[in-house]
Amino acid sequence: IQCYKYNFKNDKSKKIQFGLLAQELQDIFPELTSRSGDYLTINYLNFTAILLECIKKLKTDTDYLKSIINKSQ
């Protein structure tokens, strides 16, 4: 999943936005996407829960790897 930087064509302020492509996310987490007319949208609120779990897993992995490094020193 890539993060993209963009701005809306009709936004005169040209404010930079950040987001994901729903088509890419749909391949991995189809339950986080839905159709709205002709558009495929992302439920970012539910996506934050998945991100939190991924962060917790990374912390567990990092702590484990640190313990291995500390034992070898």
Side-chain angles (χ1 to χ4, degrees):
I1 302 171
Q2 295 283 354
C3 182
Y4 295 91
K5 183 169 76 169
Y6 62 93
N7 57 6
F8 291 106
K9 292 178 183 178
N10 296 331
D11 181 9
K12 292 179 183 180
S13 71
K14 301 294 183 194
K15 183 178 176 185
I16 295 174
Q17 305 286 328
F18 295 91
L20 308 171
L21 286 180
Q23 292 82 349
E24 291 178 2
L25 192 62
Q26 186 179 37
D27 292 339
I28 302 165
F29 297 110
E31 60 277 4
L32 295 178
T33 61
S34 61
R35 286 243 167 246
S36 178
D38 292 337
Y39 298 99
L40 188 60
T41 63
I42 296 173
N43 181 337
Y44 280 102
L45 185 60
N46 285 346
F47 190 53
T48 56
I50 291 171
L51 291 175
L52 179 59
E53 288 303 311
C54 291
I55 291 168
K56 288 165 48 176
K57 172 76 169 99
L58 285 171
K59 170 132 178 39
T60 301
D61 293 350
T62 301
D63 290 346
Y64 172 72
L65 292 171
K66 283 181 179 179
S67 73
I68 292 174
I69 291 169
N70 288 336
K71 288 178 184 176
S72 69
Q73 293 178 354

